[in-house]
Amino acid sequence: MNRLYHFPLSPFCRKVRLTLAEKRIEVELVEERFWEQNPDFLRRNPAGKVPVLRVDGRFMSESQAICEWLEESVPTPPLMPRDLEGRYEVRRLCAWFDGKFHEEVTSKLVYERLKIGGRVPEAKNIKFGSQRIKFHLDYMAWLLDQRRWLAGDNLTLADFAAAAHISALDYVSDVDWNRHAVLKDWYAKIKSRPAFRGILSDQIPGQSPARHYSDLDF
C-alpha cells in the first residue's frame, strides 16, 4: 500500500492528496507531527518536512516534485498542459502559491490560529496575513476573469495548489467569499470534485472547521 506521511492542514500535503485522489491512486494517510522532528520521520526525509510519499519502498519528498512525478507516472487524467507555455504557467502559479502566498498568508493565518508547532499566536502576523490575503484573492479573481481555470482552459495542478491553501484558510474561516463571485464559483467547482472529499472530511482536534467548510452550496 502506498503511504503518505502528512499533516491534515498542510497545503503542501493537501496538494499531493488532491493529485493522488484525482488520479485515483490509493494511499494510506499517516498523520505526522513534523515539528516534533521524530527520528524515524527524519530518516524518511532529513529535511523534516511533510509531505513524504512512500511508493514501492521508495520515499519521496517536496510536494511539487511528488506531484510532477505522479503526473508523469500516471498521466491520466492530465494535470499539466501539453504545450511548453502552458506548463510554464502552471509551474509559475504553483510556485506563487507555495512560495509567496504561503509566506504572506497561509503561514500567518492558519499556522498562527492553530498554534502549529506549539507557536504562540502573534497579533501582528494575523493582521499582516489578513491584509495580504485581499491582494492575493484579487489576483486570483483577475486570472479567473480571463480564463476558465487559473492557468488556462483546463483544470491543472495550479488549481490544486491554490485550492490546497484556500481550503486550509477556509477551515479557519479566513476567506471572504463575498469579495469576488468568480473566485467563489471557481472554488465551488473544485470543492465539488470527488478528489476533494477527503479534504472536506478533515478534522483537527480542538479546532472545528468553519460551519460552511464542507458545504458544497456555501
Side-chain angles (χ1 to χ4, degrees):
M1 170 66 75
N2 302 322
R3 180 175 292 176
L4 182 69
Y5 298 88
H6 80 120
F7 183 72
L9 283 191
S10 161
F12 307 106
C13 297
R14 288 184 161 210
K15 181 174 68 172
V16 172
R17 290 169 62 192
L18 287 168
T19 302
L20 287 164
E22 187 74 9
K23 293 181 177 293
R24 300 182 181 180
I25 301 172
E26 293 188 4
V27 64
E28 176 190 3
L29 296 177
V30 178
E31 186 170 336
E32 183 69 49
R33 297 170 66 86
F34 59 94
W35 58 86
E36 295 179 354
Q37 300 292 281
N38 181 287
D40 286 337
F41 180 65
L42 290 175
R43 280 192 286 271
R44 302 182 190 107
N45 181 17
K49 300 189 299 181
V50 288
V52 173
L53 178 65
R54 188 190 74 179
V55 178
D56 296 330
R58 176 187 178 188
F59 292 98
M60 291 181 282
S61 59
E62 298 299 335
S63 66
Q64 188 68 19
I66 292 172
C67 288
E68 294 209 31
W69 183 89
L70 291 169
E71 174 69 9
E72 292 183 14
S73 59
V74 184
T76 304
L79 290 174
M80 290 288 284
R82 293 184 178 181
D83 64 291
L84 185 63
E85 291 301 319
R87 292 196 298 275
Y88 161 77
E89 181 65 355
V90 169
R91 291 182 175 119
R92 183 188 74 81
L93 288 173
C94 286
W96 175 280
F97 288 104
D98 289 344
K100 186 176 180 66
F101 189 100
H102 174 261
E103 175 62 26
E104 295 182 353
V105 181
T106 313
S107 66
K108 299 297 189 294
L109 296 177
V110 178
Y111 299 174
E112 293 284 334
R113 294 194 193 283
L114 296 184
K115 304 176 185 178
I116 291 177
R119 69 177 65 195
V120 177
E122 293 190 24
K124 66 177 182 180
N125 288 336
I126 294 175
K127 181 179 179 180
F128 179 81
S130 298
Q131 292 172 338
R132 290 303 292 165
I133 192 175
K134 298 174 184 178
F135 162 76
H136 286 278
L137 296 182
D138 291 349
Y139 178 56
M140 292 175 70
W142 179 78
L143 290 172
L144 292 167
D145 278 335
Q146 306 171 71
R147 309 164 174 179
R148 288 185 59 202
W149 297 92
L150 286 174
D153 290 335
N154 299 304
L155 172 78
T156 67
L157 188 57
D159 296 286
F160 280 171
H165 287 271
I166 292 294
S167 62
L169 289 157
D170 197 40
Y171 188 98
V172 293
S173 197
D174 265 316
V175 182
D176 179 6
W177 292 116
N178 294 318
R179 191 171 182 85
H180 294 289
V182 67
L183 182 61
K184 184 175 181 179
D185 290 344
W186 165 84
Y187 190 60
K189 288 191 296 183
I190 291 269
K191 198 174 184 180
S192 63
R193 297 185 75 83
F196 223 82
R197 291 171 185 163
I199 299 293
L200 295 180
S201 66
D202 282 342
Q203 293 283 334
I204 304 300
Q207 177 69 50
S208 298
R211 292 181 62 182
H212 65 270
Y213 175 73
S214 59
D215 185 358
L216 300 181
D217 297 318
F218 70 110

